[in-house]
Amino acid sequence: KCPLVVLDAMLPRQLMKIQVKNPLLVELVRSQMEKEDPHFGMLGMAILNTGEKINLTTGVEVEIVERPLFDEKDGIMLALKARKRFRITGEVANAEQGWTEARVEYLDSSQEEEDEMEESIDGDRMVIARAMMKAKELTAPNATMENNASLIERWVQLAKEVERQPGQIDDLLLELGEVPPADQPTERAMWVGALINPLPAMGVAMEVRPALLTATSAEKRVDIACDGILRSIRHMDKSAPMW
């Protein structure tokens, strides 16, 4: 069983630094630090059209990447790196120590895409090919962008003009690593989501991470990423401000 914490809808590759005072979470971290691979499951929340908030049932495993400093008064400073995605498959219950835990199934993007092809209506093998074609648009020269830049290049250019502190975007790109290839559409979509919804938030894009985590097809994930980055570009270049 995996211990679960509801904090934020993180995506793989994201790094979160957070000050935690919640006694239960502090205790969970203490117990995990005794293990060789200290980690737990991170879940976010989604807001329904009705305004109701619900816990997501898909999330990411996060690794505690730096030894946290425990302080009786201020709690702990945590650095968490999101790794693989998971979905909750069993009943969510309270562990003996008080925190929540559940059985989870870890998700592998390439396996998901293979299964999607096999399960598609009439064996439509084009479902993943379409996702790959759309994923290419994220790094291909784009005639509607300044200097024919790709969507990712243009987003980075604009984001550097409004970053919260010098070097924020360069640090973010280092954190995320190379853009996954277009023939890994789900991974590429997740990467773009982590780029435009960084931690801490920049306030230049719509929140796409819950939608990416809950989307059930590679093509849908890529659509979410493409729409999110395009809207963010138009917001930053002031051609279509969102707020």
Side-chain angles (χ1 to χ4, degrees):
K1 284 189 173 182
C2 177
L4 302 173
V5 173
V6 178
L7 264 181
D8 195 10
M10 288 178 76
L11 295 177
R13 304 175 184 83
Q14 288 197 298
L15 180 71
M16 173 191 276
K17 294 193 175 180
I18 185 171
Q19 184 88 15
V20 173
K21 292 187 179 182
N22 181 300
L24 208 52
L25 183 47
V26 170
E27 200 48 48
L28 170 59
V29 171
R30 279 189 201 275
S31 78
Q32 288 298 312
M33 291 312 295
E34 294 169 8
K35 299 179 179 178
E36 200 174 308
D37 176 26
H39 67 275
F40 54 86
M42 170 85 75
L43 295 165
M45 300 186 85
I47 301 174
L48 304 178
N49 293 336
T50 58
E52 183 191 352
K53 288 185 177 180
I54 56 161
N55 290 352
L56 297 177
T57 55
T58 46
V60 288
E61 177 186 273
V62 293
E63 176 190 3
I64 303 168
V65 289
E66 293 168 16
R67 188 149 199 94
L69 295 169
F70 292 88
D71 185 294
E72 292 303 321
K73 182 164 62 75
D74 296 324
I76 48 172
M77 187 70 191
L78 276 181
L80 305 169
K81 180 79 172 178
R83 302 193 296 199
K84 50 196 175 183
R85 293 176 296 126
F86 67 79
R87 89 163 57 89
I88 294 173
T89 56
E91 193 177 315
V92 177
N94 285 337
E96 191 182 314
Q97 302 90 330
W99 52 76
T100 305
E101 61 180 19
R103 294 198 185 284
V104 301
E105 174 193 0
Y106 288 104
L107 304 171
D108 176 84
S109 300
S110 54
Q111 187 60 53
E112 282 180 304
E113 288 159 7
E114 211 172 287
D115 292 346
E116 198 183 328
M117 273 200 299
E118 287 175 10
E119 292 164 12
S120 60
I121 300 165
D122 302 326
D124 178 9
R125 298 190 68 80
M126 291 302 290
V127 287
I128 301 303
R130 281 197 303 271
M132 289 179 185
M133 288 296 291
K134 289 180 177 182
K136 279 183 185 172
E137 293 172 18
L138 290 158
T139 48
N142 191 310
T144 67
M145 295 292 128
E146 193 175 286
N147 299 324
N148 274 358
S150 71
L151 292 176
I152 289 175
E153 287 167 342
R154 185 62 179 142
W155 190 91
V156 168
Q157 286 167 4
L158 290 166
K160 283 183 175 181
E161 293 172 13
V162 295
E163 58 188 359
R164 295 286 170 89
Q165 63 265 346
Q168 181 183 6
I169 300 302
D170 285 334
D171 289 346
L172 173 62
L173 292 169
L174 273 175
E175 185 185 298
L176 299 181
E178 291 291 314
V179 184
D183 63 4
Q184 296 175 18
T186 291
E187 287 303 312
R188 181 171 277 211
M190 294 290 169
W191 190 96
V192 168
L195 176 74
I196 67 175
N197 288 160
L199 297 168
M202 284 181 66
V204 297
M206 298 291 281
E207 175 62 271
V208 299
R209 294 173 302 164
L212 282 169
L213 287 168
T214 54
T216 53
S217 73
E219 187 175 10
K220 182 65 179 165
R221 294 177 199 115
V222 175
D223 284 343
I224 291 164
C226 288
D227 180 63
I229 197 169
L230 193 53
R231 283 183 184 218
S232 182
I233 288 167
R234 288 175 175 160
H235 174 74
M236 289 191 286
D237 72 11
K238 299 184 171 57
S239 61
M242 292 184 286
W243 41 80

